[in-house]
């Protein structure tokens, strides 16, 4: 038994996410579409903030990284070269009794986990979604929805090299949708058939790959901690040899303790020179690097930190969830890192009448230049604080009758619940300092 505790149950997060507008079932009015989810007004802010925090760390703050946004549909030969047509499969078993399907590598023993019935032999099932390009639906028109963003980076290797003057080691980062026809999606947004990845291909000189692999593992692990995930619910797991993907020399997963147990958040693989060599072979183009120092050509090795934006967002939501005793009730508070919180500030006027509204609206307009701001004037102030706590807003600004006289407002901190009087003229600067990260 693990001693680690999940912060809450998945049911509570699913319910909060729906009630407050983080995540909705896709096509809900038609009964929903299995394993597809829509990010609502707060969810899109949270997920964008996760992606922004990632981009800032791995692109903006580094001089050895650049970005890319490749298309989802690619030449079909890409997936032959990458090995996905032949090898991107999961073993599928069916229960002969209750007809449920399972991934053979996800179940223990040889009986159906649902009813104990006999299972069929495992069949290999390719996870790539197929579609047709153009009006003719024949085999010549088949294209795939990319199952990973990585290949868009490999096929652009020469383009990046010739347009940026990058020198090894350097990397390319990309955020985008990927599609996998998963056999058993589930656990809310943890495993879906359409999801977003945040991937890096970091090109290195062969021989330096193992050391650089270690550095990336450390940095990526620290990123989650810096953004507020508790250390106890994070761990590293090395892949066993028989678990490694067809291209990998070594792989570590960063795992989070989700309500269903330890599960992968991000994989950091050493992909060697597999992809560049294969694309070179299949395309007939030279994909290598000229090292001016040693005066030689070689194919770089690749370290790939590959994270899921949806899984990350779910982990940040779960880890932020706190229930605290508050008099006779319970205060639900999302202690989201300030970089991730959907709204940074809420303006709460104590009256819906002039001239207070005029003042509060003026403050709102000013702060909206810099941050996502909520404005809430309905019901008692205590209720309004609770509503903001529940969605993780770090600061509430209360505009009261005194404000009209002293031109100051009360700023309340979500986590300490302490309140401070701040002159309106200094409010933006005050919040800039508090919200910097
Ligand atoms: P799993 O073993 O859970 O199927 P994987 O090892 O196949 O995952 P990778 O190919 O390493 O996953 O993908 C990199 C990252 O992309 C994962 O760590 C995860 O965050 C995200 N990801 C992969 N598949 C899904 C999915 N079906 N739904 C949501 N996110 C996913």
């Amino acid at each position: 038994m693990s001693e680690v505790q999940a912060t809450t149950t998945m049911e509570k997060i699913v319910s909060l996410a729906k009630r407050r507008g983080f995540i909705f079932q896709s096509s809900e009015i038609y009964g929903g579409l299995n394993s597809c989810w829509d990010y609502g007004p707060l969810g899109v802010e949270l997920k964008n903030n996760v992606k922004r925090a990632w981009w800032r760390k791995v692109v903006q703050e580094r001089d050895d990284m650049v970005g890319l946004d490749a298309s989802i549909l690619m030449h079909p030969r890409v997936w032959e070269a990458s090995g996905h047509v032949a090898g991107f499969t999961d073993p599928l078993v069916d229960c002969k009794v209750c007809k449920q399907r399972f991934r053979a590598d996800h179940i223990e023993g040889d009986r159906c986990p649902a009813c104990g019935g006999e299972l069929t032999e495992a069949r290999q099932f390719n996870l790539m979604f197929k579609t047709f390009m153009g009006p003719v639906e024949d085999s010549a028109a088949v294209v795939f929805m990319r199952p990973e963003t990585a290949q868009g980076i490999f096929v652009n290797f020469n383009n990046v090299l010739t347009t940026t003057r990058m020198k090894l080691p350097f990397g390319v980062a990309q955020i985008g949708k990927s599609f996998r026809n998963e056999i058993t999606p589930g656990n809310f947004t943890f495993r879906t058939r359409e999801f977003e990845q945040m991937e890096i291909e970091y090109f290195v000189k062969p021989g330096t790959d193992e050391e650089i692999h270690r550095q990336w593992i450390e940095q990526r692990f620290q990123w989650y901690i810096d953004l507020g995930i508790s250390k106890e619910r994070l761990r590293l797991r090395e892949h066993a040899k028989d678990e490694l993907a067809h291209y990998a020399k070594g792989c570590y997963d960063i795992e989070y303790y989700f309500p269903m147990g330890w599960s992968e958040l991000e994989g950091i693989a050493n992909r060697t020179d597999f992809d560049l060599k294969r694309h070179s072979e299949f395309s007939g183009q030279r994909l290598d690097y000229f090292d001016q120092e040693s005066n030689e050509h070689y194919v770089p090795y690749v370290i790939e930190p590959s994270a899921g934006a949806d899984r990350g967002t779910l982990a940040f939501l779960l880890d932020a969830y706190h229930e605290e005793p508050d008099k006779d009730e319970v205060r639900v508070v999302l202690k989201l890192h300030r970089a991730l919180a959907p709204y940074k500030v809420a303006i709460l006027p104590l009256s819906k009448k002039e001239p207070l509204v005029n003042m509060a609206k003026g403050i709102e307009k000013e702060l909206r230049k810099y941050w996502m701001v909520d404005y809430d004037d309905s019901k008692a102030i205590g209720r309004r604080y609770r509503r903001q706590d529940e969605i993780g807003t770090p600061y509430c600004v209360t505009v009261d009758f005194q404000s009209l006289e002293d031109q100051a407002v009360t700023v309340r901190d979500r986590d300490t619940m302490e309140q401070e009087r701040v002159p309106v003229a200094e409010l933006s600067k005050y919040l800039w300092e508090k919200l910097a990260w």
Side-chain angles (χ1 to χ4, degrees):
M1 276 293 286
S2 168
E3 291 188 3
V4 187
Q5 297 268 316
T7 49
T8 182
T9 61
M10 199 65 101
E11 289 72 28
K12 276 200 184 167
I13 286 295
V14 174
S15 147
L16 173 78
K18 178 170 164 52
R19 188 161 40 80
R20 298 308 309 270
F22 282 94
I23 302 172
F24 307 123
Q25 168 96 68
S26 156
S27 326
E28 194 181 324
I29 60 169
Y30 288 100
L33 180 64
N34 185 19
S35 96
C36 294
W37 302 95
D38 297 343
Y39 288 83
L42 293 185
V44 67
E45 295 300 333
L46 174 61
K47 190 172 159 191
N48 278 343
N49 290 341
V50 169
K51 292 188 278 185
R52 220 172 268 140
W54 182 85
W55 194 268
R56 174 164 138 177
K57 189 77 194 170
V58 305
V59 180
Q60 185 185 326
E61 290 181 6
R62 300 178 65 120
D63 61 4
D64 58 348
M65 292 282 304
V66 290
L68 185 81
D69 183 11
S71 74
I72 289 172
L73 301 176
M74 300 176 76
H75 195 289
R77 292 275 285 166
V78 167
W79 307 110
E80 288 170 33
S82 69
H84 283 79
V85 170
F88 194 56
T89 54
D90 276 340
L92 165 76
V93 289
D94 289 296
C95 173
K96 291 180 180 170
V97 183
C98 71
K99 310 291 177 208
Q100 282 200 59
R101 302 208 135 146
F102 303 94
R103 244 172 86 172
D105 57 333
H106 277 184
I107 55 178
E108 281 172 24
D110 53 4
R111 310 294 293 186
C112 170
C115 77
E118 195 187 333
L119 297 169
T120 59
E121 286 286 305
R123 289 180 285 137
Q124 289 301 324
F125 172 77
N126 196 297
L127 301 181
M128 280 198 293
F129 275 98
K130 271 185 202 164
T131 187
F132 301 96
M133 195 136 170
V136 185
E137 296 195 2
D138 65 11
S139 57
V142 166
V143 288
F144 298 102
M145 315 274 278
R146 67 180 176 199
E148 61 174 26
T149 65
Q151 299 304 324
I153 299 179
F154 294 126
V155 300
N156 276 296
F157 178 74
N158 281 347
N159 286 335
V160 172
L161 208 53
T162 53
T163 53
T164 61
R165 303 180 316 274
M166 298 302 273
K167 300 237 180 328
L168 284 192
F170 75 91
V172 181
Q174 173 165 230
I175 299 177
K177 288 261 170 136
S178 293
F179 301 82
R180 294 181 188 177
N181 204 356
E182 297 277 2
I183 295 166
T184 45
N187 288 316
F188 199 24
T189 53
F190 177 82
R191 187 181 303 284
T192 53
R193 295 191 169 114
E194 170 181 344
F195 54 95
E196 222 168 343
Q197 291 187 303
M198 308 188 289
E199 294 198 300
I200 296 164
E201 306 306 323
Y202 194 79
F203 301 99
V204 307
K205 184 174 185 177
T208 62
D209 50 306
E210 292 187 9
E211 172 56 24
I212 294 178
H213 192 189
R214 272 192 290 278
Q215 291 168 7
W216 271 110
I217 292 166
E218 211 172 283
Q219 289 171 29
R220 293 302 307 140
F221 196 86
Q222 190 60 36
W223 183 76
Y224 292 98
I225 293 170
D226 291 345
L227 285 173
I229 295 225
S230 138
K231 255 190 206 147
E232 304 97 75
R233 280 182 290 274
L234 274 183
R235 74 173 189 195
L236 261 187
R237 191 180 69 81
E238 186 179 2
H239 279 213
K241 283 273 170 282
D242 61 353
E243 228 188 316
L244 287 176
H246 57 273
Y247 48 74
K249 171 174 163 189
C251 185
Y252 285 78
D253 285 346
I254 298 175
E255 296 188 330
Y256 176 71
Y257 195 77
F258 286 90
M260 65 281 188
W262 289 107
S263 311
E264 174 178 340
L265 258 187
E266 169 163 352
I268 304 156
N270 181 343
R271 283 179 91 127
T272 69
D273 54 7
F274 177 85
D275 301 86
L276 288 178
K277 277 198 168 150
R278 293 275 290 192
H279 284 304
S280 188
E281 199 183 301
F282 277 65
S283 66
Q285 306 277 324
R286 192 166 178 168
L287 296 174
D288 62 9
Y289 179 79
F290 177 63
D291 190 328
Q292 285 172 334
E293 268 172 38
S294 60
N295 210 17
E296 53 178 344
H297 285 272
Y298 52 80
V299 180
Y301 266 35
V302 176
I303 304 302
E304 178 192 70
S306 171
D310 308 274
R311 277 191 199 176
T313 300
L314 180 59
F316 285 120
L317 252 186
L318 282 161
D319 218 74
Y321 187 90
H322 288 76
E323 288 181 2
E324 291 175 355
D326 182 20
K327 297 187 194 110
D328 300 335
E329 295 179 27
V330 176
R331 175 172 99 112
V332 173
V333 49
L334 282 188
K335 296 193 174 173
L336 284 168
H337 189 280
R338 56 198 178 281
L340 303 182
Y343 290 121
K344 308 299 182 206
V345 190
I347 314 288
L348 314 175
L350 275 196
S351 148
K352 286 187 187 179
K353 299 205 184 94
E354 295 295 5
L356 213 65
V357 169
N358 193 30
M359 185 177 187
K361 284 280 173 194
I363 294 171
E364 181 197 6
K365 195 168 171 212
E366 173 64 18
L367 299 186
R368 273 189 189 272
K369 288 185 202 157
Y370 315 112
W371 302 289
M372 288 299 297
V373 172
D374 195 15
Y375 186 95
D376 186 359
D377 61 6
S378 92
K379 305 244 163 70
I381 190 73
R383 293 270 290 273
R384 286 186 256 166
Y385 283 149
R386 292 272 177 76
R387 280 205 287 265
Q388 295 301 331
D389 288 344
E390 203 186 37
I391 60 172
T393 309
Y395 295 99
C396 286
V397 172
T398 309
V399 186
D400 54 28
F401 294 101
Q402 181 72 20
S403 304
L404 294 167
E405 280 155 35
D406 65 1
Q407 292 298 308
V409 288
T410 302
V411 180
R412 171 193 181 263
D413 181 299
R414 175 195 71 199
D415 298 337
T416 62
M417 293 193 280
E418 271 165 23
Q419 308 198 355
E420 203 176 334
R421 201 74 184 159
V422 180
V424 175
E426 287 166 27
L427 185 60
S428 306
K429 186 168 164 277
Y430 173 92
L431 290 169
W432 265 112
E433 280 163 14
K434 293 278 188 192
L435 288 166
W437 54 283

